[in-house]
Each structure stands twice: as C-alpha cells, then as structure tokens.
C-alpha cells in the first residue's frame, strides 16, 4: 500500500499488518479500516483533509472469474458520509502489476496533476493539457497499455455525483470523481510486470475451471445476464410494480416495451462485452445512434473505449441486428441508466437513452443521481415550486442539460448539487427520492419493502447493493411476499454482510447469484420453489440464529469464493470467517459515519414511499419502515440510536 501526499509530493508506504489483512481482507472493508484510522470527525469533502483510498482485493489480478474489481472510498461530497464506489475497469489489474495492492491519497495538488504508479515508484505529471477533456479523450492522451482511472469535466467542476472512469467502466456513486477534482487530480495511471503470487497454484487452477463452469451453467450468470444483460431485469420489475416511474410516483411504465432489455437486444445490441476477464459478459456493445439532423453527438475519442471504429451491427459476429445502422460502437446502458433516464423521466426513447448514457460516461457523471435529480426537478417544476422549464416526457433538451450540469452552467449549477440540496432550497423533501443525500436506484421499494429497509439503513445512502439487494428475494429471483415486513430485517443483514465480504475479495457481486440454487430459478412454479417462497417470511428466527454464529467451518455450495481465497492467500477461510469479514466491514463503516455526524434519523425514506400507497386503496403498498428498522437495529447489535455497541465492536475485533 502506498501513501501519496499531493501537497508535499511525498510518497511512503502505508503499513498494513497480516492481522489487518486477516480481519479486513481488502477492497472496501480494508478501505473502511484505513479511513477509520485517518478520519477523526466531520470535514469538508472538498478540502485537503479528505482522504481517497483505492484498494484491490486479494483475488484481483489472479485470473479468478469476475475478479477484476477495485474499490474507491472517500468521504462523499454528496452525503458527507463514507462512500465506496466499485469499478470493473482494468486499473486494479494494472495496479497489481505495478506491485501495489492499494493507494492512500491525501492533501491537494497546487495545480492539475496525473500520477504514474510503477514498480519503481510514483511520478507526478502536469495535467494542465488534459484539464477540460472528456474521459475518453483523457484516456486516449495517456500512455497506452496501462491501467487508467480518470475524471471528466464533471469531476473537475465538482459536480457532487461525479464519478471515475477506467476503460469504459465507471466508479460512479457518491461523488468520488468530484473529490479527485477538488484535489486537482485528473488521473491515476498504473503499469508494471509483477505477477500476483498464489499460495496453492494447482489447487487454484482446478477451482478456476470449476468456478467458470458453475457460472456458465447457472440460469442467471449463464443465461439471463449474457442474453439480456442487467436490462433483462426490467420485465420482472414491470410485472412486480417495482419499476421506478415518474419520480417514483408509480411502479409501472405504460411504454415499457420501448425500453425493455429485449428491445435493447433486438434493435441495438452489437455483441456482449464486460469487465476484463469476466466469463459472464453482461455488458452491452451498441451503436451510438445518430441524432436526427445533427449527426452523431460529440463524445470524445472512441479509441479510449476499446470498442473500435465504425461497424454495421448486422455484420458484428452475426450476434445482433441493430437495423443495419452504421456508427461508433460504445458501451450500452445498464438497467439503472435505462430506468432513471427512461421511465422515471417518462422517456420512452431508447436511442436517446443510449446517447445520454454515452455522454454521461464521457462527462464522468453518475447516471443514477443524474436521472434522480432531474426527475425531482421536473416534479418541482410541475408543482410550481421551481420554474425551471423541465417537464416529464420532454427529452429533446436533455443532452444540453447534462453538459450544463457537468460545467455548472445555468440551472445545471443547481442540479449539480443533487436532489437533497435542491429540496433544502425549493421544498418538496417528501418526494426527493434520496437517502442520506444519495439518489435512489431503479427499484421502487413500495413493491419490495425489504429493499426499502435496505435503502434506509445503507451506509452510503440510497444504494441497492449496500442495501443488501433484497429485491432478488422479493420478485427478481425468488418471490417471497414483497409486502410483509416478516424476516426482512434478518435477511437484509445476511445479504449485506455476504455482499460486503464478496466485494472485499475483489469479486463482482453478480458472483453471489450462484448461491441461489438453479433448481429454484429454473422452476419458478415448481412445488419446491413455491414452498421456499412461502417459508421465507417465517425464516427470521433461523436466519437471526445464523447471524449470531461466529463459527461456521463450511464452504457454501455455489460460493467457491471461500476456497479460492484459501488457495490464493494461504489463509484459512470458510463461510463463518467470510461472513464475519462482511459484518466487520459494515459495522466499521457505520462507526465512521456516526463519527461524521450521522444519526438514526438519517436511516429514513422519503415520505412518498412511507405514507403514500403505490396502489390506491391497498395499504400494503407502503414501506412499513419503523418496525423493520427497530428489528434491524436489534439484530445488528446496535443501540436505539443506531450505533454499534462497545461489546459488539470487541466481539468483531474492531479497535
């Protein structure tokens, strides 16, 4: 681990002990430990006292499937709390090749810089010629055959939800790119020839082969995600009233078919893509549609994305139609982008969503917070609280609006602050779809109340993954009763802890899908699946008992991660140890947030989701947050104020 002071340009080693590696593993959990050591209280996220921690996991760079991930943690300018943002670009792999597991960045550079990290050390370069460039143009201007992590204009101008881009993948959430911009840090570049050591190489090679086979034979990672990508979930969300529509006022979109995953595959897909070394290929490569009368929009240098020059979709591997259009191949939109820039704005133009998605990537801006903030502004305008000219269903001016946000021009300067700050200025807090300042992703929680609980208690704010993603049990995989609060607290904790640990290892969270037996997903109407769905609401007691267990010397079928960690690191690992790492990380992040001023009152949802029935006349279609939250605190071992107790911290080994 390197520590880089941008103010003094001093580079030192940041000491990590073997005991800390055992307790915190890597990724976001190790980053939480580092931030807990360095952050003592409230601070200005844009000030030099803020800290950026970039960490890999022990599986990053080993060739393990779905393990190219790296993490960026800091104090968020959007929430004022600890945020972590995950990315599947190649930067983490190249950082490992440079002989480095992570970087701790402090201070602020006097002028724009980019840093080059190699086996020989760190070099500072003048980034003035790169300042103002899009993320694609920036990557094209940096040395080839290296790992790059860059900001665009949104980060430079401190848009509070600016992200970081590596290749065509983004660490988007929480404003990590804005913190880079505040530190005058345009880019990190890493390269080297180091090979990640593996403790038991033969054992690991056998595990790799079996793991890839498991992923390819599973109905989600082997069939749904390769065929339709994350957009394949839109159909289930529409069916279950879970599709955020018109600023979360509804759960279904009348023109859903126009923006579905099936339509994306049939009309726009060129071929599958994805993160480096991933066998699932859930990413979409599409043609960037031309805007009528204007030609293709400017979007930086395509060479930086790695997609290549012009191509006719029908000729691309014979995989997709694309209507025979010609144009530049770009990364297609993911589920969150389609929903937040589509149904949530009452926008049924999928071609426009593709253009806006590419523009956001080039500007370096989070599509979830962008879409959520614009939807809130549209409703403010509709209700006469802020006359801004934005209206649901009108999307012809959105491209210019995104550029204005990234450069803080006109109303874009206000929108760049996010929906919570807009509500503080103009009102409308009850329909500002955010938690702790972070805009909600695409899942309407009044049709999945466990997901609503997860949103409320999530450490980084409105996040579906840090929330535990209980939607997968409430309709998007299994189909337990989505309205009952029964067992939701216990299941949320279990899912959160496992996902924290998987992320700490350097793995994509989609690898956790294999935990769900294929027999249940392949036969949704079979007697066994129906029985499981009926029993899950009554599983709170057994799951709560499982949460208390500290010793589980087993390896869970469908989760080869524990055996892979043993083979790579030489450390003992099993389900109990893995779960404990996740629990430790979740509590440590909570501890940092309480130090930053967060209270139980911040574990809340917008009033619309708690008090307004999604289906008029059906009282079940509201989130019964308070009873679930009390149960969640009790099972977590937190006080009524939502603070981890000293006894819990001792049991977890958190000093």
């Amino acid at each position: 681990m390197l520590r880089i002071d941008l103010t003094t340009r001093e580079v030192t080693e940041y000491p990590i002990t073997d005991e800390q590696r055992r307790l915190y593993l890597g990724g976001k959990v190790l980053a939480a430990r580092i931030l807990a050591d360095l952050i003592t209280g409230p601070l200005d996220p844009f000030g030099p006292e803020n800290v950026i921690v970039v960490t890999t996991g022990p599986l990053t760079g080993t060739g393990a499937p779905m393990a190219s991930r790296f993490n960026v943690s800091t104090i968020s300018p959007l929430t004022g709390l600890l945020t972590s943002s995950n990315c599947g670009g190649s930067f983490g792999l190249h950082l490992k090749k440079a002989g480095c597991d992570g970087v701790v960045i402090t201070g602020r550079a006097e002028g724009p810089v980019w840093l080059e990290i190699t086996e020989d050390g760190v070099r500072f370069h003048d980034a003035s010629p790169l300042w103002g460039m899009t993320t694609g143009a920036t990557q094209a201007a940096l040395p080839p055959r290296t790992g790059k992590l860059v900001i665009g204009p949104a980060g430079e101008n401190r848009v509070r939800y600016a992200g970081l881009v590596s290749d065509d993948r983004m660490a988007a959430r929480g404003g990590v790119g804005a913190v880079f911009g505040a530190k005058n840090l345009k880019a990190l570049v890493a390269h080297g020839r180091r090979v990640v050591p593996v403790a038991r190489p033969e054992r690991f090679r056998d595990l790799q082969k079996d793991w890839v086979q498991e992923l390819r034979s599973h109905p989600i990672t082997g069939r749904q995600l390769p065929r339709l990508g994350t957009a394949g979930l839109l159909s289930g969300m529409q069916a279950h009233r879970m599709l955020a529509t018109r600023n979360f006022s509804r759960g279904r979109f009348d023109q859903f078919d126009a923006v579905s995953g099936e339509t994306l595959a049939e009309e726009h897909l060129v071929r599958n893509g994805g993160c480096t070394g991933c066998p699932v290929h859930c990413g979409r490569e599409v043609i960037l549609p031309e805007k009528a009368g204007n030609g293709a929009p400017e979007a930086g240098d395509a060479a930086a994305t790695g997609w290549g020059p012009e191509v006719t979709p029908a000729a691309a591997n014979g995989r997709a139609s694309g209507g025979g259009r010609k144009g530049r191949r770009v990364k297609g939109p993911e589920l969150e982008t389609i929903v937040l820039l589509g149904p949530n704005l009452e926008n049924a133009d999928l071609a426009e969503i593709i253009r806006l998605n590419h523009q956001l990537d080039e500007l370096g801006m989070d599509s979830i917070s962008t879409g959520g903030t614009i939807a809130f502004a549209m409703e403010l305008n509709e209700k006469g609280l802020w006359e801004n000219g934005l209206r649901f269903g009108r999307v012809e001016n959105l491209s210019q609006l995104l550029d204005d946000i990234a450069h803080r021009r006109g109303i874009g300067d206000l929108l760049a602050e996010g929906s919570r700050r807009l509500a503080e200025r103009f009102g409308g807090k009850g329909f500002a779809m955010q938690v702790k300042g972070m805009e909600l992703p695409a899942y309407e929680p009044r049709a999945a109340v466990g997901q609503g609980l997860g949103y409320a208690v999530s450490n980084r704010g409105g996040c579906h993954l840090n929330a535990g993603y209980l939607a997968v049990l409430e309709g998007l995989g299994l189909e337990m009763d989505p309205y009952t609060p029964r067992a939701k607290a216990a299941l949320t904790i279990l899912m959160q802890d496992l996902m924290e640990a998987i992320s700490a290892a350097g793995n994509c969270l989609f690898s956790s899908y294999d935990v769900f037996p294929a027999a249940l997903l392949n036969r949704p109407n079979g007697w066994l699946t129906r029985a499981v769905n009926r029993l899950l609401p009554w599983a709170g007691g057994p799951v709560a008992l499982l949460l208390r267990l500290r010793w589980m010397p087993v390896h869970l079928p469908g989760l080869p991660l524990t055996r892979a960690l043993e083979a790579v690191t030489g450390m003992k690992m099993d389900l109990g140890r893995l779960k404990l790492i996740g629990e430790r990380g979740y509590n440590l992040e909570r501890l940092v947030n309480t130090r930053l001023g967060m209270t139980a009152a911040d574990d809340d949802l917008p009033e619309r989701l708690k008090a307004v029935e999604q289906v008029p006349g059906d009282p079940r279609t509201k989130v019964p947050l308070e009873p679930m939250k009390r149960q969640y605190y009790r099972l977590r071992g937190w006080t009524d104020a939502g603070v981890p107790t000293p006894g819990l911290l001792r049991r977890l080994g958190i000093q």
Side-chain angles (χ1 to χ4, degrees):
M1 295 282 294
L2 294 177
R3 180 168 181 164
I4 304 171
D5 188 323
L6 295 174
T7 303
T8 64
R9 298 199 171 192
E10 182 182 10
V11 179
T12 57
E13 186 170 342
Y14 190 93
I16 298 292
T17 67
D18 285 345
E19 177 66 3
Q20 287 175 321
R21 295 183 190 278
R22 182 184 70 81
L23 291 173
Y24 305 108
L25 197 61
K28 71 191 300 285
V29 177
L30 182 59
R33 176 69 266 172
I34 294 169
L35 288 170
D37 291 337
L38 298 178
I39 303 296
T40 59
L43 52 76
D44 177 6
F46 289 146
E49 65 272 22
N50 198 0
V51 180
I52 299 168
V53 184
V54 183
T55 42
T56 60
L59 295 188
T60 308
T62 63
M66 305 183 81
S68 67
R69 314 296 297 191
F70 65 94
N71 175 80
V72 184
S73 291
T74 189
I75 306 306
S76 166
L78 189 64
T79 67
L81 304 173
L82 190 155
T83 194
S84 58
S85 200
N86 203 268
C87 185
S90 65
F91 177 77
L93 302 174
H94 285 277
L95 190 63
K96 282 288 191 85
K97 289 182 178 180
C100 192
D101 290 300
V103 183
V104 180
I105 302 171
T106 60
R108 174 191 286 156
E110 186 175 344
V113 298
W114 64 272
L115 305 183
E116 184 178 12
I117 304 169
T118 71
E119 297 168 83
D120 299 324
V122 178
R123 289 194 287 274
F124 286 71
H125 298 271
D126 179 18
S128 298
L130 304 177
W131 210 254
M133 286 187 179
T134 63
T135 61
T138 300
Q139 291 189 85
L142 291 169
R145 294 180 294 281
T146 60
K148 307 172 184 76
L149 185 61
V150 309
I151 61 172
E156 296 171 0
N157 293 303
R158 304 187 189 185
V159 174
R160 290 186 185 270
Y161 41 88
L164 297 160
V165 175
S166 176
D167 304 322
D168 68 319
R169 317 305 292 181
M170 184 182 288
R173 306 236 66 193
V176 290
V179 179
F180 265 57
K183 291 184 177 297
N184 286 322
L185 181 57
K186 179 66 174 178
L188 298 177
V189 174
H191 58 95
R193 296 184 178 180
R194 293 280 186 91
V195 176
V196 178
V198 174
R200 302 170 191 166
E202 292 185 8
R203 173 66 175 146
F204 182 60
R205 280 194 294 270
D206 292 340
L207 281 167
Q208 279 179 295
K209 189 182 303 182
D210 294 342
W211 197 349
V212 170
Q213 183 58 39
E214 282 188 34
L215 291 168
R216 288 177 173 165
S217 62
H218 194 268
I220 296 181
T221 54
R223 188 167 65 240
Q224 178 181 308
L225 285 173
R227 188 170 70 90
L228 296 175
T230 57
L233 291 172
L234 267 78
S235 297
M237 294 166 70
Q238 172 83 352
H240 290 86
R241 297 185 183 274
M242 212 184 293
L243 189 69
T245 302
R246 197 181 175 89
N247 195 32
F248 285 75
S249 61
R250 300 195 301 271
R252 284 181 177 162
F253 183 47
D254 292 341
Q255 297 171 276
F256 155 76
D257 285 339
V259 296
S260 69
E262 288 78 5
T263 300
L264 180 67
E266 292 167 6
E267 298 183 7
H268 298 279
L269 180 66
V270 175
R271 65 177 182 181
N272 294 2
C275 303
T276 306
C278 178
V280 174
H281 297 296
C282 68
R284 312 287 90 182
E285 294 185 21
V286 298
I287 294 297
L288 183 64
E290 292 186 354
K291 199 157 181 81
N294 296 323
E298 291 296 323
D301 192 329
T305 68
W307 298 129
E310 289 189 350
V311 64
T312 302
N317 296 339
R319 293 289 302 276
S321 65
R325 291 189 299 271
K326 292 179 64 179
R328 186 188 306 155
R329 289 158 52 191
V330 299
K331 184 195 77 177
E334 303 285 352
L335 162 74
E336 309 296 336
T337 305
I338 294 174
V339 178
L340 274 303
L341 296 178
N344 206 42
L345 304 183
E346 294 208 326
N347 172 22
D349 188 343
L350 187 54
E352 181 68 9
I353 293 170
I354 290 172
R355 284 190 290 266
L356 295 174
N357 175 67
H358 184 60
Q359 184 180 0
L360 284 168
D361 285 350
E362 290 294 319
L363 294 170
M365 207 151 66
D366 174 21
S367 62
I368 297 177
S369 282
T370 301
T373 301
I374 292 173
F376 177 57
M378 287 177 171
E379 190 161 353
L380 285 174
N381 184 68
E382 184 177 72
K383 287 179 162 54
L385 296 174
W386 178 30
E387 294 184 6
N388 52 45
L390 301 175
R391 293 180 175 83
F392 289 107
R394 285 186 53 183
V395 299
E396 62 273 7
N397 62 342
L398 284 186
S399 178
Q400 181 60 55
L401 182 64
L402 298 189
D403 201 60
D404 288 344
I405 294 172
H407 293 89
R408 286 187 172 269
R409 292 188 296 250
I411 65 168
D413 187 36
L414 294 174
L415 291 167
E417 293 292 295
S419 57
R420 182 173 68 178
R421 288 173 175 81
L422 284 180
E424 290 169 355
R425 178 165 181 158
F426 297 107
K429 179 182 177 182
F431 56 89
M433 293 296 114
Q434 54 81 29
V435 171
K436 301 182 178 78
M438 180 180 282
E439 286 70 26
L440 297 183
Y443 308 87
E444 223 281 33
R446 288 177 292 181
V449 301
Q451 185 69 34
L453 168 66
Y455 283 157
V457 299
S458 165
N459 283 325
R460 72 172 180 173
C463 170
H464 55 302
L465 299 174
N466 201 223
Y469 198 50
L470 219 63
V472 75
L473 302 179
E474 296 177 297
L476 300 183
L478 298 177
E479 293 197 21
M480 71 179 295
D481 184 348
Y483 301 112
T484 182
R486 286 182 177 274
K488 297 297 172 68
L491 289 168
T492 295
I493 294 170
L494 180 63
M495 296 280 281
Q496 285 174 329
D497 289 350
L498 285 177
M499 292 172 80
E500 290 288 290
I502 291 169
S503 183
N507 262 69
C508 174
L509 293 178
F510 284 171
S511 64
S512 64
Y513 275 128
D514 280 13
V515 172
F516 299 98
L520 298 180
L521 301 176
N522 283 328
R523 299 178 180 85
N525 296 314
W527 69 268
L528 180 59
T529 307
R530 293 200 307 271
V532 169
N533 288 331
R534 289 177 182 173
L535 288 172
L536 275 173
W538 305 97
V543 174
L545 179 62
L546 183 66
L547 293 175
R548 294 189 186 98
L549 291 177
R550 307 290 179 191
W551 189 69
M552 286 184 283
V554 297
H555 296 278
L556 190 66
L559 192 65
L561 177 67
T562 51
R563 296 187 187 276
L565 285 169
E566 283 189 331
V568 168
T569 67
M571 295 191 304
K572 182 68 177 174
M573 185 60 64
D574 52 37
L575 181 60
R577 287 178 171 88
L578 187 72
K579 186 186 77 68
L580 201 58
I581 288 168
E583 183 182 5
R584 189 175 292 119
Y586 206 88
N587 280 276
L588 190 54
E589 286 191 347
R590 183 75 180 195
L591 200 63
V592 173
N593 281 347
T594 59
R595 195 181 292 173
L596 293 168
M598 191 190 76
T599 69
D602 296 303
D603 291 332
D604 202 2
L605 291 172
E607 200 65 20
R608 168 172 287 168
L609 303 179
K610 297 187 299 178
V612 181
E613 296 165 353
Q614 189 199 63
V615 180
D618 187 347
R620 300 178 309 155
T621 59
K622 299 182 293 185
V623 181
L625 178 60
E626 286 307 314
M628 291 192 296
K629 191 169 104 172
R630 287 193 296 270
Q631 178 78 348
Y632 179 92
Y633 282 6
R634 186 180 68 81
L635 292 174
R636 271 281 181 208
W638 294 352
T639 67
D640 292 342
V643 180
T645 63
L648 172 63
L649 297 179
R650 280 196 301 271
R651 288 196 300 273
L652 293 174
I654 297 174
Q655 298 179 354

